[in-house]
Amino acid sequence: MANASISRSQPVKAKRSPAKRTLTQAERFARLGLHNDADFMLHVPLRYEDETQLHDLSQIRPGQFVQADVEVTDQHIAPGVRRQLIVQVQDHTGSLRLRWLHFYPSLLKQLAPGQRVRIRGEVRDGFHGLELVHPKVTQADQPLAQALTPIYPTTDGLRQDSLAKAIQAAFSRTQLTDTLPEAIRQHFNLAEFAQALYTVHHPPKGADQQALLSRTHPAWARIKFDELLAQQLSLAAAREARRQQRAPVLQAQSDGSVSSLVAQLRAHLPFQLTAAQERVVHEIHADLQQPYPMHRLLQGDVGSGKTVVAALAAAQALAAGYQVAVMAPTEILAEQHYLKLAAWFAPLAIEVVWLSGSMTVKQRRPVLERLAQAEPLLIVGTQALIQEGVEFARLGLIILDEQHRFGVGQRLALSKKGEQPTKGGGEAFRPIQSSAEPQDLASVASSTVNSALLPHQLSMSATPIPRTLAMSFLADLDVSVIDELPVGRKPIVTKLIADVRRDEILAYVAQQVAQGGQVYWVCPLVEESESLQLQTAVDTHHYLVEHLPGVQVGLVHGKLKAAEKAAVMDAFRANQVQVLVATTVIEVGVDVPNANLMIIEHAERFGLAQLHQLRGRVGRGAAQAVCVLLYQPQLSADGRARLRAMHETNDGFKIAQYDLELRGPGEFLGLRQSGQALLRFADLQTDAHMIEQAKACAQLLRTQYPKVAQAHLERWLQGREDLLRT
């Protein structure tokens, strides 16, 4: 595909007056992401208007796009605060009212009584019957269009005809070739690409308009398949590129120290691993013995035991003489990991250190000095781990918790922190053959020279990834799933209660505290908002202190200083505080087995993933846990559906699937901040079957048609590959 840029005029020099400068047409195109011919040709219509036929006014209905040749029978300007132009028209079958809120004198002349005109627009059901508001008006009795008229996404100041003209110019300048050979197209039943794309822009008369609008037309199928194929090719290339990189081989030393340390950690754990945890531990153990970086996603529902799996992986790296970094998105979650890991590793004489942004320079200095020493060390922290001045001497393993909450750049930054120069000169890297025996990998790695060793990476997520999302966006990663909860864990009971029954909830809370239990009370805001009149954490804290005499009520939220938050959380863990009022800072990371009741204020305002994460903070002990979702009776349809989903299932995968439908893949994967749509044309819900086909086609192209694969990538991604490789 040719990439000739659309010509641009010279930018207008800004005047000193405060008036805004008028944008050039090229600048308006740029706002839509239209820079070259490929961009214009792939700027597809939002919808179509049918100007290929005329309609009888007696047959039209609300919501229909109509076109009719009519005669003007009456015209008047309705008085009022905002004057309106009202025009009555008729054809041989009936009459219709036209209305303009803004109009020019020329329109009065064009629509004088007795004039014949052609009108086009969407029918509305107004106060005085059916009407068209601001319809297009042209001369009557002109030849009809021979194809559906595309309506494109646009921006302020850019007319549809200007956009359509630029798109047509791009087609005229470009000779579109098909990246896929005819044999491939026939095998996957695909239309020819140039014809498919042209059909989407210029559907012929009689085309299935509904199929075009729903994007189920064969022309759309080809475009969506090509996009998914480019994605799968990019992910496959990313996986292969990672296999070309070097990483430390974290296998048992000659004295068996790795297996010994892992065995010691297992022996000190106060519980037995589940079968799912054992399976995942084995997968990670094998990955860490390879000479290329592990990139594995560990997913499991809330409370499934991901942290202990990560601890066993850390033990393997530590015993091999490497440093391990654990990074979490919030200080509360990071501190929770620090406390757990420090307790587990203390009997093994393994040093666990802490680093966060709230530490002073004096507190950070000894930690940074320890990192600079090439000795085994486990460090836990927040984004402070990727700040300037933090240098690792021998980082062998990175563990990212709640990885989707980190931006793309943050994930890459920590990986680059662990790059270690290898011994030797500049000999090119020679990929390891897949037939190499595990016991030979260490010697091969040491003899292979490369510019740097990269750390292994284990990402964890308590938000299960739906299968279609994993197939589409995580195909370059290895995925491990902990699909069972620890033995004895009881399902959490979820109750939906209107907030008018607050007195009953208070009585229930008092009863739980009297029986020795503890309670979370979660609020969506810290301070009062005029736009959202929601119960705030501060007000709720005052209210509960007043209505629960003799009960210690704590308050924690994001605006507290780190030391203040830590003091409140420590008091709650020690049962010195019985009721903890909190914002969503406790969404992840808080583990208090004695807390078995959670109240969530204005639950309808939370997203599904948040609600599921919050609910997972209870039910970590032997007692039956209850989560109460307080809601306002005036629920929206969306809010009602979310609460119903929470009430009906504790299955994180089912909840994640519904959440994906609501939020889309970008926000779900933590790529929303990239500013680009991950899939412009294909839809994960309706086109899941195409993902499997695209994956099979990608494998075929890479093995039998490598030049075709490269040409397809160049056409579709144009430098966007990195978005799919993070």
Side-chain angles (χ1 to χ4, degrees), residues 389-506:
V390 180
E391 301 294 339
F392 296 85
R394 206 163 188 246
L395 184 60
L397 173 63
I398 295 167
I399 299 173
L400 289 173
D401 197 13
E402 293 301 310
Q403 57 87 26
H404 64 285
R405 295 177 60 166
F406 290 108
V408 173
Q410 291 172 316
R411 299 177 215 172
L412 293 176
L414 184 55
S415 181
K416 290 182 181 298
K417 289 275 188 183
E419 288 186 4
Q420 305 162 48
T422 56
K423 298 177 182 180
E427 183 184 343
F429 163 66
R430 296 187 300 274
I432 304 300
Q433 299 300 314
S434 58
S435 59
E437 295 296 327
Q439 62 266 28
D440 296 331
L441 293 179
S443 59
V444 174
S446 62
S447 64
T448 302
V449 181
N450 192 25
S451 59
L453 284 176
L454 295 174
H456 297 277
Q457 184 169 310
L458 176 65
S459 299
M460 299 193 293
S461 176
T463 304
I465 309 297
R467 181 173 177 270
T468 53
L469 197 60
M471 285 193 304
S472 183
F473 290 103
L474 305 176
D476 62 324
L477 297 180
D478 295 305
V479 180
S480 292
V481 180
I482 303 178
D483 50 10
E484 63 177 314
L485 295 177
V487 177
R489 186 71 61 87
K490 297 179 181 178
I492 302 168
V493 174
T494 303
K495 297 183 177 182
L496 306 181
I497 299 179
D499 62 2
V500 294
R501 298 169 58 189
R502 189 174 298 272
D503 289 344
E504 297 176 39
I505 299 300
L506 280 173

Side-chain angles (χ1 to χ4, degrees), residues 671-687:
L671 296 179
R672 188 179 187 180
Q673 60 268 56
S674 68
Q676 300 189 44
L678 297 180
L679 285 175
R680 291 175 58 191
F681 309 117
D683 182 271
L684 291 181
Q685 305 305 317
T686 60
D687 303 319

Side-chain angles (χ1 to χ4, degrees), residues 19-20 27 264 416 620:
K20 289 185 177 180
E27 288 171 328
Q264 289 177 47
K416 290 182 181 298
R620 292 171 176 256

Side-chain angles (χ1 to χ4, degrees), residues 47-51 65-70 89 96 98-100 107 110-111 117-122 132-140 149-152 159-161:
R47 56 187 175 87
Y48 303 92
E49 292 180 352
D50 188 355
E51 299 179 9
F65 176 85
V66 299
Q67 177 174 251
D69 283 349
V70 297
V89 298
L96 183 65
L98 313 180
R99 185 158 57 98
W100 281 265
L107 192 61
Q110 188 180 14
L111 294 171
V117 293
R118 177 168 295 171
I119 57 173
R120 292 190 294 274
E122 182 179 333
L132 299 184
V133 179
H134 285 272
K136 294 179 182 177
V137 180
T138 56
Q139 186 176 348
T149 303
I151 304 299
Y152 295 100
R159 294 166 52 92
Q160 283 289 327
D161 55 357

